[in-house]
Amino acid sequence: MEKPAENEKTKGNSRSLNFIEQIIEEDIRNNKNEGRVHTRFPPEPNGYLHIGHAKSICLNFGIAEKYNGLCNLRFDDTNPLTENVEFVDSIKEDVRWLGYDWGDRLYFASDYFERFYEFAVFLIKKGKAYVCDLTPGQIAEGRGTPTRPGRESPYRNRSVEENLRLFSQMREGMYGNGEKVLRAKIDMASPNMHMRDPVMYRIIHTDHHRTGNKWCIYPTYDFAHGQSDSIEKITHSLCTLEFEVHRPLYDWFIKELEIFPSRQIEFARLELSYTIMSKRKLLQLVEEGYVMGWDDPRMPTICGLRRRGFTPESIRTFSEKVGVAKRDNIIDVALLEHSIREDLNKRAPRMMTVINPVKLVITNYPEGETEEVEAPLNPEMPEAGERKYNFSREVYIEREDFMEEPPGKFFRLAPGREVRLKYAYIIKCEEVVKNEYGEITEIRCVYDPETRSGSSKSNRKVKSAIHWVSVDHAKPVEIRLFDRLFNKEDPDDTEEGKDFKSNINPESLKVMEGYIPSGTGPFKPLEKIQFERLGYFCADPDSTREKPVFNRTATLKDTWAKIKNKG
RNA sequence: UGACCGAUGGUGUAAUGGCAGCACUACAGGUUUUGGUCCUGUCAGUCCAGGUUCGAGUCCUGGUCGGUCAACCA
């Protein structure tokens, strides 16, 4: 038999196993489920997927892949009040975009409603379930508290015949919403609240996005999830920690129903610093206009990250790096940023772009002349070829690349100083022109014609090389600079009487008017590119042919910013 | 003041009774026509108290701290 643990080790590139993989490998060793591994990703179609879901998706599909198993996509659609097809579609799109394939195994809990009904009848006949007429308030009250046992319902000992009749009438629509429920008969004194006769079915006279008006009774999570797992012969049902207390009930239903025993294993959900993950709060940001929509590039949603310029690969490696364990954790958002930089550094072509321009004139360069210079498309990938730039007498440079009175550690352009205009010539600043407000409007320099990049005398060292775009060959673009949405590592850490929105970063979006070299593009939506020395960007779908729009995905690591901020 | 779960550098995550390792961050240096990348190095950790053992991050007991559970949500 295959022994993945040993293979991993002998390959020499082994990553130690997380606790779920350890369980799975032991199950395989014991030939449990004939060595089969089958997982599932079970979203409820009532919202958009976020980076926390991505961890679960990568875990479930990743494990199936690793152990030559299968992973189903199953919608947990048991509550018609909150679910709809739009969410089903967006979720499918996001999972597919992440690079996972559920083959022909797209399932819906609602596909099993008839089976669930039969399961319920089976339990009633077994004397393990009963119809209860108590109101929601009475049920809650009768359940007790975590420290006080509950009280048995007066309807608990109805006869099997009566329960069968009543349950059938529930299905036929003879009762209104909330009038009756079907409950499991377990133990009202259990220390586990979920075992105190939990509700299995409730009456909801609402059409379902898939079953229409066929049903007016719907199973609860507890009476649907484990049963779905079992029907699909899921071997390892991975979910987050808050479901740990549901596990005894999950197991109880499987045992009493005498069906395939899937095993539930819980892991800690992903939390990210400077970010919120709650569906409710994300909805609030959208509805109250703090962001432009669910796919706003500042949102931690999959569609937001996609529009921000993240790649599926970067999210997958991120999910790998965060690990899987049972303790609560808050991942440093810097790890997410690292993951996208690592990926884009290897694959994103480079281009010089100026986002905060100031004009620079080379006084000894002939007017009206243009020459072409060449630069590697990507120094990490020499085979990718070159990009050509037009160079002329006037260029835009980045305002931050010039300082009139530079501190010691600043080694870019300043009066009397030399720098290289990247891939072109070394220039020297001779004069600064200002307007009536004292703002710099023009920097005047001379260039050394012998220092053209690539020429024999070009190896003279200067302290830095700055990027530029020729004024006569510049195309204006909109550039959206995104920063983290919240100022606080924990956005829920607020002053008395305030909520998480008080921690919103007012500078999370800055819109700039910059220049790219004319003749570049058109850019495909979401096309990735590194603006040299500035960061990774992608073309926003808002782009038009006349006016491209770029989103900043991430800055480059910026040691100068650190020095500057230290003063 | 119940049941269950958890606790290893700043943040994550390994070590399965035998040298506390890896990644991110931070810091320092080297290379560099991106203050990027890459390379080298540095700081930094087993919640506490007992016990078992030749040997404990790991096992046992007790505590401390954190989380979860009282929807007809999932």
Side-chain angles (χ1 to χ4, degrees):
Chain A
M1 187 179 43
E2 272 286 299
K3 285 187 181 170
E6 287 177 16
N7 288 344
E8 284 284 318
K9 274 171 193 158
T10 49
K11 267 190 281 181
N13 61 349
S14 71
R15 173 182 61 76
S16 49
L17 302 176
N18 65 49
F19 81 101
I20 293 175
E21 292 167 328
Q22 288 175 20
I23 290 170
I24 288 174
E25 295 198 359
E26 191 178 338
D27 287 346
I28 292 172
R29 273 194 297 277
N30 296 333
N31 203 31
K32 190 178 176 187
N33 305 311
E34 297 81 45
R36 199 167 53 81
V37 174
H38 201 152
T39 58
R40 100 270 91 114
F41 174 62
E44 185 191 12
N46 71 342
Y48 286 85
L49 259 26
H50 56 57
I51 184 78
H53 296 111
K55 172 180 176 177
S56 177
I57 293 167
C58 294
L59 217 209
N60 277 295
F61 280 93
I63 277 182
E65 221 162 69
K66 177 170 180 178
Y67 295 104
N68 295 314
L70 297 169
C71 180
N72 299 352
L73 175 60
R74 180 175 73 232
F75 287 91
D76 220 342
D77 56 349
T78 57
N79 185 355
L81 263 15
T82 57
E83 299 155 2
N84 65 50
V85 278
E86 284 73 32
F87 290 129
V88 169
D89 293 340
S90 77
I91 289 169
K92 282 159 70 179
E93 183 189 356
D94 288 348
V95 175
R96 222 179 278 123
W97 179 76
L98 279 173
Y100 294 109
D101 182 8
W102 53 86
D104 57 357
R105 297 175 317 283
L106 171 64
Y107 300 123
F108 293 82
S110 54
D111 290 343
Y112 310 136
F113 281 174
E114 198 62 50
R115 305 275 300 271
F116 295 163
Y117 185 84
E118 287 163 18
F119 284 155
V121 168
F122 182 80
L123 287 185
I124 292 173
K125 287 179 175 165
K126 223 176 156 183
K128 299 286 186 176
Y130 63 98
V131 173
C132 182
D133 299 1
L134 259 25
T135 65
Q138 289 169 324
I139 290 177
E141 204 262 311
R143 187 143 36 216
T145 69
T147 52
R148 290 265 171 280
R151 205 172 44 239
E152 293 188 353
S153 163
Y155 304 98
R156 197 173 202 257
N157 295 311
R158 289 219 250 229
S159 68
V160 168
E161 293 67 32
E162 187 181 10
N163 280 322
L164 251 15
R165 195 187 77 240
L166 260 17
F167 186 50
S168 164
Q169 290 174 344
M170 280 168 64
R171 175 177 185 169
E172 284 155 21
M174 289 183 60
Y175 307 105
N177 289 347
E179 244 178 81
K180 283 180 164 51
V181 292
L182 183 72
R183 290 228 254 172
K185 191 192 280 192
I186 309 180
D187 177 8
M188 291 308 288
S190 169
N192 183 334
M193 298 288 290
H194 297 278
M195 299 300 272
R196 320 238 268 223
D197 290 11
V199 171
M200 295 162 58
Y201 266 96
R202 51 333 185 177
I203 299 169
I204 305 174
H205 287 277
T206 296
D207 284 5
H208 184 278
H209 68 100
R210 300 197 90 229
T211 60
N213 62 4
K214 185 171 180 206
W215 296 88
C216 63
I217 56 171
Y218 292 93
T220 57
Y221 166 84
D222 287 307
F223 198 62
H225 201 102
Q227 288 64 27
S228 303
D229 285 342
S230 183
I231 288 168
E232 294 172 19
K233 300 279 192 295
I234 298 302
T235 56
H236 304 269
S237 177
L238 314 181
C239 63
T240 45
L241 247 31
E242 67 271 25
F243 293 102
E244 203 155 24
V245 282
H246 292 246
R247 181 159 25 99
L249 181 55
Y250 181 102
D251 292 338
W252 188 89
F253 279 131
I254 282 176
K255 178 168 153 283
E256 294 298 334
L257 255 12
E258 300 159 33
I259 54 179
F260 177 81
S262 300
R263 173 174 177 188
Q264 174 178 304
I265 301 168
E266 312 84 12
F267 63 92
R269 58 156 17 112
L270 172 73
E271 298 286 350
L272 254 192
S273 61
Y274 298 98
T275 312
I276 51 167
M277 221 63 92
S278 141
K279 274 186 193 175
R280 203 196 88 243
K281 288 174 186 161
L282 292 174
L283 176 68
Q284 224 176 321
L285 293 177
V286 173
E287 287 192 331
E288 296 174 22
Y290 290 96
V291 294
M292 300 178 283
W294 285 98
D295 68 343
D296 186 296
R298 292 164 292 181
M299 292 281 275
T301 48
I302 305 291
C303 52
L305 291 166
R306 178 164 60 226
R307 189 166 176 186
R308 175 77 170 250
F310 278 74
T311 58
E313 291 78 5
S314 70
I315 292 175
R316 291 167 69 146
T317 59
F318 171 73
S319 297
E320 186 69 30
K321 284 177 212 248
V322 299
V324 180
K326 293 195 73 163
R327 69 187 95 123
D328 296 327
N329 62 85
I330 300 172
I331 305 295
D332 192 338
V333 71
L335 186 63
L336 218 211
E337 289 164 0
H338 170 262
S339 303
I340 187 60
R341 286 190 187 115
E342 184 182 45
D343 189 26
L344 258 20
N345 176 53
K346 281 181 293 199
R347 60 207 289 181
R350 324 269 130 135
M351 183 171 86
M352 292 200 290
T353 297
V354 175
I355 62 179
N356 188 14
V358 62
K359 193 196 278 185
L360 182 149
V361 179
I362 301 157
T363 54
N364 60 338
Y365 193 89
E367 279 188 61
E369 188 166 318
T370 294
E371 66 184 296
E372 248 181 11
V373 299
E374 285 190 335
L377 215 44
N378 184 343
E380 304 294 312
M381 221 196 308
E383 67 279 11
E386 312 252 282
R387 183 190 293 283
K388 289 182 166 55
Y389 293 94
N390 286 308
F391 182 78
S392 62
R393 189 168 189 267
E394 297 189 346
V395 299
Y396 293 116
I397 65 162
E398 211 67 58
R399 234 166 232 285
E400 288 78 45
D401 284 340
F402 177 83
M403 278 186 99
E404 222 179 343
E405 290 167 25
K409 284 177 178 154
F410 182 87
F411 41 86
R412 277 119 83 154
L413 194 61
R417 286 220 205 152
E418 280 190 328
V419 299
R420 175 177 292 280
L421 288 175
K422 230 175 161 215
Y423 312 124
Y425 298 95
I426 292 175
I427 55 165
K428 183 175 185 178
C429 173
E430 300 210 307
E431 191 187 348
V432 180
V433 182
K434 296 183 186 174
N435 65 14
E436 53 185 311
Y437 308 110
E439 295 161 350
I440 296 168
T441 54
E442 193 175 299
I443 298 164
R444 298 175 74 81
C445 299
V446 292
Y447 86 118
D448 179 349
E450 305 219 300
T451 58
R452 192 190 206 268
S453 288
S455 75
S456 56
K457 294 187 181 171
S458 71
N459 49 1
R460 205 168 104 215
K461 296 284 178 206
V462 284
K463 285 268 223 173
S464 78
I466 64 174
H467 61 275
W468 51 272
V469 173
S470 165
V471 171
D472 288 339
H473 309 86
K475 177 174 183 168
V477 292
E478 176 175 327
I479 296 170
R480 299 176 182 168
L481 303 180
F482 298 104
D483 199 355
R484 45 189 62 150
L485 235 195
F486 295 94
N487 281 324
K488 274 244 176 82
E489 205 169 303
D490 174 10
D492 288 317
D493 175 18
T494 54
E495 290 171 39
E496 272 293 309
K498 297 197 171 174
D499 73 355
F500 72 102
K501 287 176 290 182
S502 65
N503 285 324
I504 285 179
N505 174 10
E507 309 209 321
S508 63
L509 170 60
K510 280 187 196 158
V511 179
M512 311 291 286
E513 294 287 320
Y515 293 105
I516 61 172
S518 58
T520 53
F523 300 90
K524 293 195 295 283
L526 302 184
E527 183 172 340
K528 275 87 185 153
I529 189 157
Q530 186 200 96
F531 292 170
E532 293 206 36
R533 303 207 304 133
L534 297 174
Y536 298 100
F537 293 74
C538 77
D540 190 86
D542 283 350
S543 297
T544 61
R545 203 173 190 76
E546 306 74 56
K547 189 70 173 281
V549 177
F550 291 96
N551 296 328
R552 184 170 69 193
T553 308
T555 61
L556 257 31
K557 280 179 79 180
D558 190 351
T559 51
W560 163 241
K562 281 179 199 161
I563 296 166
K564 195 172 56 177
N565 292 335
K566 275 184 208 155

